[in-house]
Amino acid sequence: MSFLRRLLWGATAGVGAAGAIDFWRQDERAFRTVFMPVVHRLLDGEDAHRLGVWAAKHKLFPRSTHRPAESMRVSLWDLHFDNPVGLAAGFDKNGEAVEGLARWGFGFVEIGSVTPLPQPGNPKP
């Protein structure tokens, strides 16, 4: 095996091992530096969205360890939220990934869609 091929295999193995360790420790750096750049290169928006819902369903994203400041807490209509940032309706239209999405650190997560019937969506470019 040539030096260049061994170097390429070694670098690939090193990046893979570092990503696996970060994933095991639930460190977000692996997603930001390894996983997401690959996803953006290989998938279009719709496929990436389906992959995101599938990954959330199987709890493949790390649980958010960030704890918002006390000043971020909000209350509205006798509902209390850790922070005012939520995941809007439409991301998980079928309610497949409720538990996984709740792990991401949002103040609230809306499941389902804002329309009563399925919509066709935008045409592909």
Side-chain angles (χ1 to χ4, degrees):
M1 190 182 306
S2 72
F3 172 75
L4 186 57
R5 184 174 274 178
R6 283 196 317 262
L7 180 66
L8 182 60
W9 276 109
T12 303
V15 167
I21 290 169
D22 283 350
F23 181 79
W24 179 70
R25 292 187 335 199
Q26 294 194 351
D27 190 332
E28 295 176 12
R29 285 180 294 184
F31 291 95
R32 195 171 43 247
T33 60
V34 178
F35 183 70
M36 290 312 298
V38 171
V39 168
H40 288 156
R41 285 215 181 258
L42 298 178
L43 301 175
D44 68 8
E46 288 296 317
D47 290 337
H49 179 236
R50 280 191 284 276
L51 177 63
V53 172
W54 179 85
K57 177 181 179 179
H58 297 286
K59 300 178 186 161
L60 297 179
F61 289 109
R63 178 184 301 275
S64 175
T65 58
H66 175 75
R67 295 290 167 236
E70 187 66 34
S71 62
M72 295 295 290
R73 292 182 184 270
V74 292
S75 295
L76 181 65
W77 300 316
D78 291 326
L79 298 173
H80 307 285
F81 305 101
D82 287 340
N83 66 67
V85 179
L87 182 63
F91 182 79
D92 183 11
K93 294 178 180 98
N94 299 320
E96 302 172 51
V98 177
E99 290 181 32
L101 293 172
R103 300 163 41 109
W104 288 1
F106 291 108
F108 60 91
V109 176
E110 292 186 39
I111 301 299
S113 178
V114 294
T115 61
L117 299 172
Q119 303 295 312
N122 296 325
K124 289 192 173 199

